[in-house]
Amino acid sequence: MSTPQALLKAMFSAAIEAAQPSHCVPPHLPPVPKGRLIVIGAGKASAAMAQAVEQHWPGPLSGLVVTRYGYAVPCQRIEIAEAAHPVPDAAGMDAARRILALVSNLSPDDTVLCLISGGGSSLLALPLDGVTLEDKQALNRALLVSGANIGEMNCVRRHLSAIKGGRLAAACYPAKVVTLAISDVPGDKLGDIASGPTVGDATTCADALAIVRRYGIVLPDSIRAVLESGRGESVKPEDPRLANTHTTLIATPQMALEAAAGVARAAGVTPYILGDSLEGEAREVGKVMAGMAQQAARRGQPFAAPCVLLSGGETTVTVRGTGRGGRNVEFLLALGIALDGEANVFALAGDTDGVDGQEDIAGAVLAPDTLQRAWSLGIKPRDSLDDNDGHGFFQALGDAVITGPTLTNVNDFRAVLVTASH
């Protein structure tokens, strides 16, 4: 590789490629059923997953999947709907309603193939009776800036939905349900991928209320009534309607990190995967990672240079400033401030779906001269961090990483590269 930045970008590209539906869907297709095959799904990768099904399925099929605006790909037999992410809209609600209608009145001879990936929680939005879309939108916005992790957010969402938390699988009964999932959540917890529409849910309305209280979120009366009454209870794992369901993880953050590690090895850099499910405030994770990188650069401990520290998962940003958030750029800015121009340390952080937070920017790259270049432009790095303006900071330097829609999503990718001293 010509530069450290080029190597980092090549690793990021490999991570994204490892999770492409075109090669991770076909090996997991179910047997041809006696009855019909109905294809449904939701997520940023669902349209590309549907396309892969069409290209490799030997028999007739029909269906409907919903993906993020701009993430549609051409399909002949499966309808592709588009809706909003990360805050749901009426298009997502309409698609969810139509998907439920598609799987009603099925027989035991039918198979439902459900294609699930990250982003499905907001794309497959169908509030319970008594809860309005506006109520759910307001709650979603509050959750996104609260500092709650993805598991906590999805617990609340599951108990306000007419389709998540196992309800979609229950609606398919007595048909067989085969779910192919691309994981974007820490620990690959099935109930958290798109809030688990085809997976039984052991959490309760009381758990959802506790999360809301923990983060001081003010609930609309309609939502509070659903949770306090228990009317939002999800479908539990032992429910007999879920007996003929099966879920397979076809792409995960770990697979993406291993693909990136292969690129590093080929370039003569030793990779160390620190974890595929790191969580916490993005800026705090950045400080910790800076300390590890400095020890490697200065002491050769615990890893000798040249090496790259790889990690995945989903950090959080508690937005207190006027910036646009973005957990990967917040991580990277905090990392850069803590490194303070440390020689031989470079980094890239990005979301594998191409969208960091609410921006159509995947992430950014950091170099030893990043802070110095910012100061020369009159940009104060600590002020940018305090204002949660990582996107503005890296865009001003020309260091944003823009991939466009990647058509997959295995969550965040972080690579901290320590080069050999010369």
Side-chain angles (χ1 to χ4, degrees):
M1 292 292 165
S2 55
T3 65
Q5 291 94 328
L7 175 58
L8 288 165
K9 289 178 180 178
M11 285 190 278
F12 187 42
S13 294
I16 292 169
E17 181 60 29
Q20 283 301 315
S22 57
H23 58 78
C24 62
V25 167
H28 300 286
L29 292 175
V32 176
K34 289 182 184 176
R36 294 180 295 160
L37 182 80
I38 308 294
V39 181
I40 58 173
K44 295 172 189 172
S46 64
M49 294 170 82
Q51 186 182 65
V53 172
E54 282 198 349
Q55 290 170 350
H56 292 86
W57 185 253
L61 57 78
S62 61
L64 167 65
V65 304
V66 56
T67 193
R68 189 180 193 264
Y69 291 119
Y71 281 55
V73 297
C75 287
Q76 303 304 314
R77 294 171 285 169
I78 301 167
E79 182 185 348
I80 309 299
E82 292 179 290
H85 177 277
V87 177
D89 67 358
M93 191 166 70
D94 177 65
R97 200 175 274 127
R98 292 171 59 209
I99 284 172
L100 275 180
L102 267 182
V103 299
S104 61
N105 302 317
L106 297 181
S107 81
D109 290 336
D110 298 326
T111 293
V112 176
L113 179 60
C114 188
L115 309 174
I116 293 294
S117 62
S121 282
S122 69
L123 294 167
L124 203 61
L126 187 59
L128 284 170
D129 287 345
V131 177
T132 67
L133 177 62
E134 291 73 22
D135 288 339
K136 284 202 75 172
Q137 288 172 328
L139 177 62
N140 238 45
R141 291 188 185 100
L143 285 167
L144 286 167
V145 300
S146 69
N149 65 39
I150 190 64
E152 291 169 323
M153 283 194 259
N154 285 350
C155 176
V156 176
R157 289 164 169 163
R158 283 194 296 272
H159 292 93
L160 298 170
S161 174
I163 196 166
K164 302 187 185 88
R167 293 178 181 88
L168 179 55
C172 296
Y173 181 83
K176 180 180 181 181
V177 179
V178 175
T179 300
L180 304 184
I182 294 179
S183 172
D184 72 325
V185 299
D188 302 328
K189 296 173 185 173
L190 299 180
D192 281 337
I193 305 170
S195 296
T198 60
V199 179
D201 173 39
T203 66
T204 65
C205 286
D207 294 326
L209 278 169
I211 290 163
V212 168
R213 280 195 295 270
R214 186 177 309 144
Y215 293 98
I217 294 169
V218 178
L219 291 177
D221 290 342
S222 61
I223 289 179
R224 181 169 295 282
V226 164
L227 296 179
E228 289 182 346
S229 69
R231 192 161 56 81
E233 213 46 80
S234 49
V235 177
K236 301 308 170 199
E238 63 277 7
D239 192 298
R241 293 171 295 175
L242 305 187
N244 202 15
T245 65
H246 180 72
T247 299
T248 301
L249 286 169
I250 62 170
T252 65
Q254 178 68 17
M255 293 177 193
L257 293 172
E258 288 174 357
V263 171
R265 284 191 202 96
V269 174
T270 306
Y272 296 94
I273 296 176
L274 303 182
D276 67 347
S277 55
L278 300 191
E279 295 182 86
E281 279 287 328
R283 62 179 64 197
E284 300 303 325
V285 177
K287 286 181 196 174
V288 171
M289 213 69 86
M292 296 179 71
Q294 284 175 325
Q295 189 72 359
R298 297 173 185 177
R299 313 282 188 202
Q301 298 172 330
F303 313 119
C307 64
V308 61
L309 312 181
L310 298 169
S311 65
E314 184 163 335
T315 59
T316 52
V317 175
T318 304
V319 178
R320 296 188 175 93
T322 61
R324 296 166 287 175
R327 55 187 183 259
N328 288 289
V329 288
E330 179 125 342
F331 160 84
L332 210 56
L333 182 50
L335 176 80
I337 291 169
L339 287 171
D340 195 25
E342 181 77 37
N344 305 312
V345 179
F346 301 77
L348 182 150
D351 197 322
T352 54
D353 67 359
V355 180
D356 187 28
Q358 299 188 50
E359 294 293 315
D360 289 331
I361 296 168
V365 289
L366 177 86
D369 67 350
T370 295
L371 297 192
Q372 179 186 339
R373 288 188 291 122
W375 280 104
S376 71
L377 293 175
I379 300 168
K380 299 176 180 178
R382 289 185 185 277
D383 287 354
S384 294
L385 183 61
D386 288 344
D387 204 28
N388 304 115
D389 191 28
H391 278 303
F393 179 89
F394 288 106
Q395 279 181 282
L397 297 176
D399 290 339
V401 173
I402 300 172
T403 62
T406 64
L407 308 180
T408 191
N409 183 17
V410 284
N411 221 316
D412 295 342
F413 172 88
R414 294 178 291 271
V416 182
L417 174 65
V418 182
T419 60
S421 301
H422 296 292

